[in-house]
């Protein structure tokens, strides 16, 4: 039986149904074997008794041969009728009792699985906001209580991990915001060149927005807590003016994070290019494709490029920075319920990668 798809009964069947049918099936098989043995023994005994009765009647009455043959024929008919009646009522009784076994199995399974249903209902109410709650299974010290205690211990470890994550995010937010605010104040006061000050202030503001977006992403267990309608093609062209737009689409998500996704992909394509190479950026709806020339990447190493802190050139190429570019791209795509894939280009094509980010589109604009 395959537990992954619910067994032979299909994915929609319940354990209670399976237990009840197993009860009935086992009883049916064992009952059929029992009745088969009983019927064979009864048939043999009935035939033997009938022959003995006929023999005694023949020996005591001294009848002629025709009467003896008739007596044996009647004895056979009586035996056959008795055996048929025995078989018919045995089968009917077996079916009735098998149905009763299914009902008893259903009732018994319901009683046994009631604590499991209670644990399931309590577990459904749990989230990262109330991990302090526990299943608190009461009853005898059996397998079900052991399961409940194990889940409670797991919830305790998860609560500790979430608390640690919250403290880390709060501390990181404080530690990162403070120097950014200090830099902004210094830029506003200390620079006389208005153009330079404007550029630096814009960069500082963008860093703050990016920090807000990344912290928002870190807090969201299942992705983004807040979403807005973002024209994806507009975001792409803001980061790369030469991008070819085949179709406009609106993506539900964070504009700051989507800009960072595009920026990281384009920066990765530019940094890891070769002299005289090219970068091609295309967007159609929610699909962004970035193609570049560059070093030849073995196909088996492509997936590793999305791992954090992969640096350097060649096999460990994610640029000269911290090595988070493509890993952040994948995290942002997953937060928007999308995906990112990469395919290595061969040496005859000039090397490099074809990276495709696919995001679900809420609205397609003409």
């Amino acid at each position: 039986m395959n537990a992954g798809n619910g067994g032979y009964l299909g994915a929609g069947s319940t354990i209670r149904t399976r237990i009840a049918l197993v009860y009935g099936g086992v009883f049916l098989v064992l009952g059929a074997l029992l009745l088969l043995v009983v019927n064979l023994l009864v048939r043999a005994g009935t035939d033997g008794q009938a022959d003995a009765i006929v023999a005694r009647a023949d020996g005591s009455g001294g009848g002629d041969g025709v009467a003896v043959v008739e007596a044996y024929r009647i004895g056979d008919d009586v035996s056959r009728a008795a055996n048929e009646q025995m078989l018919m009522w045995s089968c009917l009784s077996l079916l009735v009792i098998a149905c009763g076994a299914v009902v008893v199995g259903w009732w018994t399974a319901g009683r046994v699985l009631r604590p499991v249903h209670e644990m399931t209902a309590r577990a459904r109410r749990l989230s990262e906001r109330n991990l302090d709650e526990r299943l608190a299974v009461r009853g005898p010290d059996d397998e079900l209580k052991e399961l409940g205690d194990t889940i409670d211990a797991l919830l305790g470890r998860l609560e500790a991990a979430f608390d640690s994550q919250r403290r880390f995010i709060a501390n990181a937010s404080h530690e990162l915001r403070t120097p950014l605010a200090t830099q902004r104040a210094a830029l506003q006061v200390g620079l006389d060149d208005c153009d330079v000050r404007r550029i630096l202030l814009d960069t500082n503001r963008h860093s703050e927005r990016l920090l807000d977006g990344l912290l928002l992403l870190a807090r969201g267990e299942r992705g983004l807590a807040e979403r807005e309608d973002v024209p994806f093609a507009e975001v792409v062209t803001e980061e790369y003016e030469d991008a070819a737009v085949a179709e406009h689409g609106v993506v539900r998500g964070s504009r700051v994070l989507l800009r960072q996704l595009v920026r990281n992909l384009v920066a990765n394509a530019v940094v890891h290019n070769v002299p005289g190479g090219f970068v091609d950026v295309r967007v159609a709806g929610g699909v962004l494709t970035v193609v570049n020339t560059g070093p030849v990447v073995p196909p088996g190493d492509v997936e590793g490029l999305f791992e954090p802190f992969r640096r350097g050139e060649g096999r460990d190429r994610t640029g000269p920075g911290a090595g988070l570019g493509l890993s952040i791209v994948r995290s942002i795509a997953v937060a928007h319920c999308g995906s990112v894939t990469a395919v290595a280009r061969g040496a005859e094509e000039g090397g490099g990668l074809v990276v495709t980010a696919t995001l679900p589109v809420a609205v397609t604009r003409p």
Side-chain angles (χ1 to χ4, degrees):
M1 180 173 291
N2 185 357
N5 59 5
Y8 296 117
L9 299 175
S13 62
T14 63
I15 295 179
R16 187 177 185 182
T17 303
R18 293 199 293 272
I19 291 176
L21 293 181
V22 166
Y23 267 59
V26 170
F27 180 85
L28 188 62
V29 172
L30 295 179
L33 292 175
L34 175 63
L35 292 181
L36 177 63
V37 173
V38 170
N39 275 270
L40 291 176
L41 294 176
V42 169
R43 181 185 296 272
T46 303
D47 292 343
Q49 290 292 331
D51 292 342
I53 293 173
V54 173
R56 287 198 301 270
D58 181 32
S60 60
D64 57 8
V66 176
V68 172
V69 172
E70 183 65 21
Y72 273 107
R73 187 182 65 79
I74 293 174
D76 291 340
D77 291 341
V78 172
S79 298
R80 187 180 303 108
N83 291 330
E84 290 176 353
Q85 288 292 315
M86 179 72 177
L87 180 61
M88 180 185 69
W89 288 110
S90 297
C91 292
L92 289 176
S93 301
L94 178 63
L95 292 177
V96 172
I97 298 177
C99 293
V102 171
V103 174
V104 172
W106 177 269
W107 179 81
T108 304
R111 296 275 297 181
V112 172
L113 295 175
R114 183 176 299 170
V116 178
H117 291 303
E118 294 177 357
M119 286 190 289
T120 302
R122 293 175 185 172
R124 284 194 180 123
R125 294 193 296 267
L126 295 176
S127 67
E128 72 277 5
R129 298 178 180 84
N130 58 348
L131 283 176
D132 57 322
E133 298 183 10
R134 297 293 182 266
L135 300 182
V137 178
R138 295 182 297 272
D141 192 11
D142 54 9
E143 290 83 355
L144 291 178
K145 190 174 187 306
E146 182 182 2
L147 174 61
D149 293 342
T150 303
I151 296 176
D152 285 342
L154 174 61
L155 290 174
R157 294 192 295 271
L158 287 176
E159 182 183 9
F162 271 92
D163 288 341
S164 176
Q165 183 191 49
R166 292 188 188 101
R167 288 193 298 270
F168 171 79
I169 292 174
N171 293 334
S173 176
H174 174 73
E175 294 297 329
L176 292 173
R177 287 179 189 275
T178 300
L180 287 175
T182 303
Q183 291 174 15
R184 184 174 66 250
L187 290 172
Q188 291 173 337
V189 174
L191 285 180
D192 295 329
D193 192 327
C194 295
D195 292 335
V196 175
R197 183 169 59 182
R198 180 179 53 80
I199 294 173
L200 293 176
L201 285 173
D202 289 342
T203 304
N204 184 270
R205 292 192 190 96
H206 174 74
S207 299
E208 289 182 332
R209 289 195 299 269
L210 176 59
L211 175 61
D212 291 336
L214 291 176
L215 290 174
L216 178 64
L217 179 60
R219 294 190 188 101
E221 182 185 2
R222 297 183 179 179
L224 300 174
E226 299 177 359
R227 296 175 182 267
E228 60 177 323
D229 290 339
V230 181
F232 191 47
E234 180 180 311
V235 172
V236 174
T237 53
E238 287 177 357
E239 295 298 324
Y240 192 77
E241 296 180 355
D242 297 332
V245 179
E247 181 182 2
H248 292 266
V250 174
V251 175
R252 291 281 299 170
S254 167
R255 188 183 189 96
V256 172
L257 292 180
L258 289 175
R259 288 188 61 181
Q260 191 64 31
L261 179 146
V262 179
R263 180 174 299 178
N264 281 17
L265 286 180
V266 174
N268 185 77
V270 172
V271 169
H272 298 290
N273 216 315
V274 293
F278 70 89
V279 174
D280 182 55
V281 179
R282 297 180 180 274
V283 59
V287 180
L288 172 64
T289 304
V290 179
V291 183
N292 73 309
T293 52
V296 177
V297 181
D301 294 344
V302 172
E303 186 63 24
L305 299 177
F306 291 94
E307 297 177 4
F309 306 109
R310 297 296 296 271
R311 307 182 186 186
E313 299 294 330
R315 300 180 64 179
D316 288 331
R317 58 171 214 148
T318 55
L324 292 172
L326 290 181
S327 62
I328 290 178
V329 167
R330 173 163 287 181
S331 298
I332 295 173
V334 172
H336 289 79
C337 303
S339 62
V340 178
T341 59
V343 178
R345 287 159 49 90
E348 67 280 358
E349 299 175 299
L353 293 172
V354 179
V355 183
T356 303
T358 304
L359 305 174
V361 176
V363 180
T364 301
R365 293 182 176 179

